[in-house]
C-alpha cells in the first residue's frame, strides 16, 4: 500500500496526515484519499472518477488505479495504468509510481516475471532526481519479490539495504510492512507478527490497519520454524512439447499455452542439468523485442523470470536451483519430456516454434555418424 504515502503527490505532510486520518480536504483527491483511508472504497472511487486538468489528472489516474486494486478490480486497474504509462514518458515520478503499481498487481497474482519487469522500470525511473522519493518503495518491492521467488537470503539483504533509506516514521511504516512479508516468506512468523504489530500501532489509516490485522492473523496461524523447501514426496513431472503444451505433476495439469518458454526451459534442463545460466538464456530466449540486440544482464533477468514462473507452477521454490552461475533441477523428482523422442534421427516433426539449433545439434546428422 505504498500509494497511501505518495499519491497524490502534491499533498504536504500535514494535509496527507489529515486525509489519512479520514478528514477530507478541499481538493477532490484529498477527499478521495480520506474516504479510502476509512475503508469507503466505492465513495473514494466516485470522488476521483471525474477527469481533472494538468498534473492533477495524472495523480487522479494513479489514485484511481490504486483504489481499484484495493477494491479487487485488478483488470480495470491494470488497463488504466497501461493506458496511462505512455503519457508519463517525460515525468519520471509518475512513471515510477505507475510501474510500482503494476509490479504490485503482478506480484499479487504470482506473476513473478511480470513483477520483475515492472520493478526494473521503476528502478530506472527512480535514478532521476524527481522520482528519488519512490526509491524506498521500489527497493522494498524488490525485497518482497526475492522472498516470493524463494531467495530468502537475497530478500533479507535487500531489506537491510533499504533500511538505510529510512528517514522518518512514514518510511519506517513501509519498511516494517516489507519486513513482515519477507520474514513470513523466510519462515519466521514471530518476527512477521512483531513487525506488523509495530506498523499497525503507528499507522494513522484505518484501511491500512485493517489490512495489517488480516496479515497478522495469517502470520499467527503459520507454524514457526524453517520453511520446508521440499514437497511431501518426490513427484513425477512430465514436460510435453510435441503434442500440445502440457506440464503434469503426478498427472495433474499445471501449465497454460502462455507458458511455452517455461516448458522449453524445463525440457532443456532435463537434458542439460547443471547448464550455464548465460548459455541457457542464449539458447532458450527469443531475441529481445527492443531492437537493441542481446544484452547479457537483460537476458539473465528474463531467464530468472522463467525460472520463477516454473517454481510457481510446480509450487516449490527449490525445484530449480541457480548456484555458481549454473542452473539445475531438483533430482529427487522423476523428470520426463517427450522432447527426448525428437533426439533420435529423424525423429518426429517439431512444431515450428520449437525449431532450435540446440535441438538439431542433439539429434546429430541424419542417419547417425
Amino acid at each position: 500500500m505504498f500509494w497511501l504515502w505518495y499519491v497524490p503527490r502534491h499533498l504536504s505532510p500535514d494535509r496527507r496526515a489529515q486525509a489519512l486520518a479520514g478528514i477530507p480536504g478541499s481538493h477532490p483527491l484529498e477527499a478521495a484519499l480520506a474516504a479510502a483511508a476509512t475503508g469507503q472504497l466505492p465513495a473514494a472511487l466516485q470522488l476521483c472518477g471525474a477527469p481533472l486538468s494538468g498534473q492533477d489528472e495524472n495523480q487522479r489516474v494513479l489514485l484511481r488505479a490504486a483504489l481499484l486494486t484495493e477494491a479487487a478490480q485488478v483488470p480495470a486497474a491494470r488497463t488504466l495504468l497501461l493506458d496511462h504509462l505512455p503519457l508519463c514518458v517525460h515525468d519520471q515520478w509518475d512513471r515510477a509510481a505507475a510501474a510500482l503499481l503494476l509490479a504490485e498487481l503482478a506480484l499479487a497474482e504470482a506473476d513473478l516475471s511480470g513483477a520483475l519487469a515492472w520493478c526494473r522500470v521503476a528502478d530506472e525511473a527512480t535514478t532521476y532526481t524527481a522520482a528519488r522519493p519512490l526509491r524506498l518503495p521500489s527497493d522494498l518491492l524488490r525485497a518482497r519479490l526475492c522472498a516470493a521467488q524463494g531467495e530468502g537470503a537475497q530478500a533479507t539483504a535487500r531489506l537491510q539495504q533499504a533500511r538505510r533509506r529510512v528517514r522518518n516514521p512514514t518510511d519506517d511504516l513501509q519498511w516494517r510492512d516489507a519486513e513482515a512479508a519477507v520474514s513470513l516468506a523466510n519462515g519466521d512468523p514471530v518476527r512477521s507478527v512483531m513487525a506488523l504489530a509495530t506498523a499497525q500501532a503507528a499507522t494513522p489509516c484505518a484501511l491500512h490497519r485493517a489490512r495489517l490485522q488480516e496479515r497478522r492473523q495469517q502470520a499467527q496461524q503459520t507454524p514457526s520454524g524453517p520453511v520446508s523447501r521440499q514437497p511431501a514426496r518426490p513427484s513425477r513431472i512430465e514436460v510435453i512439447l510435441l503434442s500440445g503444451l502440457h506440464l503434469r505433476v503426478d498427472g495433474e495439469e499445471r501449465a497454460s499455452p502462455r507458458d511455452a518458454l517455461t516448458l522449453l526451459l524445463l525440457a532443456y534442463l532435463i537434458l542439460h542439468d547443471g547448464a550455464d545460466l548465460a548459455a541457457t538464456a542464449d539458447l532458450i530466449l527469443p531475441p529481445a523485442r527492443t531492437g537493441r540486440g542481446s544484452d547479457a544482464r537483460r537476458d539473465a533477468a528474463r531467464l530468472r523470470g522463467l525460472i520463477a514462473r516454473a517454481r510457481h507452477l510446480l509450487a516449490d521454490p527449490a525445484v530449480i536451483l541457480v548456484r555458481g552461475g549454473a542452473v539445475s533441477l531438483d533430482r529427487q523428482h522423476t523428470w520426463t519430456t517427450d522432447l527426448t523422442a525428437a533426439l533420435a534421427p529423424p525423429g518426429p516433426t517439431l512444431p515450428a516454434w520449437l525449431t532450435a539449433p540446440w535441438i538439431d545439434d542433439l539429434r546429430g546428422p541424419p542417419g547417425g555418424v
Side-chain angles (χ1 to χ4, degrees), residues 21-24 31-47 67 70-71 206-207 211:
I23 304 171
L33 184 59
T38 56
Q40 303 174 61
L41 293 177
L45 283 166
Q46 186 174 6
L47 285 166
L67 295 175
E70 291 295 329
L207 177 64
R211 296 287 191 261

Side-chain angles (χ1 to χ4, degrees), residues 119-357:
C119 279
R120 289 170 66 88
V121 173
D123 284 348
E124 181 185 354
T126 54
T127 61
Y128 292 84
T129 302
R132 200 65 56 80
L134 293 176
R135 187 70 205 182
L136 177 64
S138 182
D139 288 346
L140 294 176
L141 188 54
R142 289 297 290 269
R144 289 166 49 210
L145 178 57
C146 287
Q149 292 173 324
E151 299 170 352
Q154 189 173 353
T156 301
R158 282 188 174 273
L159 191 66
Q160 295 308 317
Q161 290 171 2
R163 184 68 187 173
R164 301 169 190 167
R165 298 186 183 276
V166 173
R167 297 287 185 270
N168 54 55
T170 294
D171 291 348
D172 188 67
L173 267 177
Q174 296 177 74
W175 192 87
R176 299 286 179 189
D177 209 327
E179 181 193 25
V182 170
S183 297
L184 191 61
N186 285 348
D188 191 351
V190 174
R191 189 179 186 90
S192 181
V193 168
M194 292 173 61
L196 290 167
T198 301
Q200 191 175 4
T203 183
C205 173
L207 177 64
H208 194 202
R209 283 197 300 273
R211 296 287 191 261
L212 293 172
Q213 179 59 29
E214 292 171 4
R215 291 170 57 197
R216 280 183 69 182
Q217 291 173 350
Q218 176 191 359
Q220 287 166 345
Q221 295 168 3
T222 302
S224 299
V227 175
S228 173
R229 295 304 188 194
Q230 304 297 331
R233 59 185 174 82
S235 300
R236 178 179 176 81
I237 302 174
E238 302 170 84
V239 181
I240 310 299
L241 297 168
L242 304 183
S243 56
L245 297 172
H246 304 281
L247 176 63
R248 299 190 182 111
V249 179
D250 295 329
E252 177 190 348
E253 290 281 347
R254 294 288 179 88
S256 71
R258 70 185 180 91
D259 293 310
L261 278 179
T262 305
L263 300 191
L264 183 59
L265 170 65
L266 288 173
Y268 180 80
L269 293 177
I270 290 172
L271 300 168
H272 301 81
D273 199 26
D276 177 76
L277 180 70
T280 302
D282 188 54
L283 291 168
I284 297 298
L285 295 172
R289 298 179 181 177
T290 60
R292 294 179 294 181
S294 177
D295 176 87
R297 292 180 62 185
R298 181 171 66 248
D299 286 350
R302 293 169 68 199
L303 186 68
R304 286 183 182 276
L306 292 182
I307 292 171
R309 176 64 182 164
R311 288 168 173 164
H312 173 67
L313 287 171
L314 296 168
D316 181 4
V319 75
I320 300 182
L321 303 176
V322 181
R323 291 176 178 168
V327 192
S328 59
L329 297 173
D330 181 355
R331 290 293 173 171
Q332 75 160 334
H333 304 295
T334 300
W335 297 88
T336 63
T337 174
D338 62 347
L339 192 55
T340 305
L343 303 184
T349 301
L350 300 178
W353 73 270
L354 193 51
T355 301

